[in-house]
Each structure stands twice: as structure tokens, then as C-alpha cells.
Amino acid sequence: MPPARKSFVGMSDRFSPYQNPAHGGSVAEALGLKAPYDVTDGLGGSSFQENAAARLSDYKRYLQFYKGDHFTNMIEDGEQKVVFNFCKKVVGKGVDWLTAKGWSVKCGKGNEQVAAALNTVWESSGRAQLFRRAALWGGITGDAFFLVGMEGNRLAIRTLNPAHVHPFWDASGTGLRAALIQYPTWSDKEARVVLYSQVITAEKWVVYH
């Protein structure tokens, strides 16, 4: 029997994480950072980067598992391990169930115009697609984030990659004090990848890039 399976190891194994990486789209992966770059002047506290790095590491592990990268070493005793990726199926079924009937905003009597305005914003932003994307991120990472802001002259909502969002909670852990949105983007002016950062507080939005 030829020892063919024993030769598929390390970099030569097409199922190895080296050849089949999970691309989480995180700042750390794109720019080689171990943690997000803190542009908040300490707003997140001394443990911000450590906690954020741990969360990004968890996200990467969850995404790898979702994509079927369940083992660090795919070869055992010279044989290729078999992967049954039920994780992706379970998440997909959950997303289908959660988004099947859609949803709408409803308000109490006297606030019908508020509900109509909110539904208009959601619908013009692509409500069904936004909700499905958020449900998928939530199913994979456990977190989902929306960004509400102006696009031109209209109010719009976007779904964000959780790896690009870093919330700052209050002492109770239930109130949001601020948020840092950070991700790599291409700069035509500088002809290289730069780090886009946006700090959002109740008082202002500040953009760094």
C-alpha cells in the first residue's frame, strides 16, 4: 500500500488551515495587529485591547468552525480526518427560522407616524437582507451590530461585521458608553491599506483614517 496519505501534511495538505484559512475580515488579520488600535485615548480602559484581542480570537475560531475547519491537524495516523460540518447547517436553519416571516415596527396608539417612518428607513435600507445578515453574524459569533447614520440626504441602516465593532460598556455591563468601529480600507491617495476608525459617543462621532 503506497504511503500517499502520510505525504499530505503541513503546508502540502490542502485541507490544512495553512492552505484553507478562515477569513474573518478582522482588523487583526488584515493588518497583522494582535488587537485593535486604540484611537480613543483610553476611553475603553486599560483592559480594552486585551479584551478586544480575546474576542477577535474567539470570532476567528467560531468562523473557522462554521466553515468546517474543525481540526488544527487534519492528518491522524496517516489518514485524512473526515469532517461533518453540522455547525453550518444548524446556523443556517436558525437564520431561516428567525427571518422566515420578516418583521415590522409597531407603535402604540398616537405614534403611528413614528412606526411608519421607522419602517420606511428599514425598508429603504434593505430590511430583509439586513436582518438575514445580522442573524447570520449572530449565529456564528454570538454578536450582531447595526449602524444608523446618514447616507447622502437620507437616514440609512447598515449591518456591520462584529470583528469591526468594539463596544465600551458602563460599569454595570448593560449600558453602552461608546463604540469604536475599525476596519482596514484601501486608500487610493496613499496607494496602501489604511486603518479606518470611527468613535461614536452620545455627544459626537469622530473619524480617523
Side-chain angles (χ1 to χ4, degrees):
M1 179 180 292
R5 303 304 287 173
K6 292 183 181 295
S7 63
F8 291 99
V9 295
M11 295 296 288
S12 63
D13 177 12
R14 69 187 181 92
F15 294 105
S16 166
Y18 292 108
Q19 297 290 344
N20 186 30
H23 297 288
S26 72
V27 175
E29 290 174 329
L31 298 182
L33 303 175
K34 292 183 178 179
Y37 183 71
D38 190 0
V39 297
T40 66
D41 195 24
L43 183 63
S46 59
S47 60
F48 161 65
Q49 287 187 307
E50 181 181 351
N51 292 338
R55 186 166 61 92
L56 289 179
S57 179
D58 286 343
Y59 284 172
K60 182 177 181 180
R61 181 163 52 88
Y62 300 155
L63 190 58
Q64 284 178 323
F65 206 82
Y66 172 78
K67 290 186 173 184
D69 297 337
H70 297 177
F71 305 103
T72 302
N73 183 5
M74 289 296 297
I75 303 296
E76 185 174 17
D77 295 329
E79 295 294 329
Q80 183 78 48
K81 292 179 180 177
V82 178
V83 176
F84 296 97
N85 190 9
F86 293 108
C87 176
K88 190 171 185 177
K89 290 290 186 181
V90 170
V91 170
K93 289 293 185 182
V95 171
D96 289 343
W97 179 84
L98 194 61
T99 62
K101 294 184 178 181
W103 61 277
S104 62
V105 178
K106 295 183 179 180
C107 296
K109 187 176 180 180
N111 291 316
E112 292 84 358
Q113 289 184 335
V114 174
L118 291 173
N119 281 314
T120 297
V121 173
W122 276 103
E123 205 59 41
S124 64
S125 298
R127 184 203 313 257
Q129 185 179 13
L130 281 174
F131 190 44
R132 187 170 185 85
R133 189 180 300 130
L136 181 59
W137 277 126
I140 297 172
T141 69
D143 293 321
F145 297 95
F146 294 100
L147 177 65
V148 182
M150 298 299 297
E151 289 187 359
N153 60 354
R154 72 180 184 93
L155 194 62
I157 303 170
R158 287 189 293 149
T159 310
L160 300 178
N161 182 338
H164 297 164
V165 184
H166 306 282
F168 300 141
W169 304 102
D170 61 17
S172 68
T174 59
L176 188 63
R177 297 187 297 114
L180 167 64
I181 300 172
Q182 192 172 83
Y183 55 86
T185 185
W186 179 260
S187 170
D188 289 331
K189 182 179 180 180
E190 300 185 32
R192 65 183 180 90
V193 174
V194 297
L195 192 61
Y196 174 91
S197 303
Q198 184 176 13
V199 180
I200 301 174
T201 65
E203 294 78 26
K204 58 184 179 180
W205 292 25
V206 182
V207 174
Y208 306 85
H209 56 78

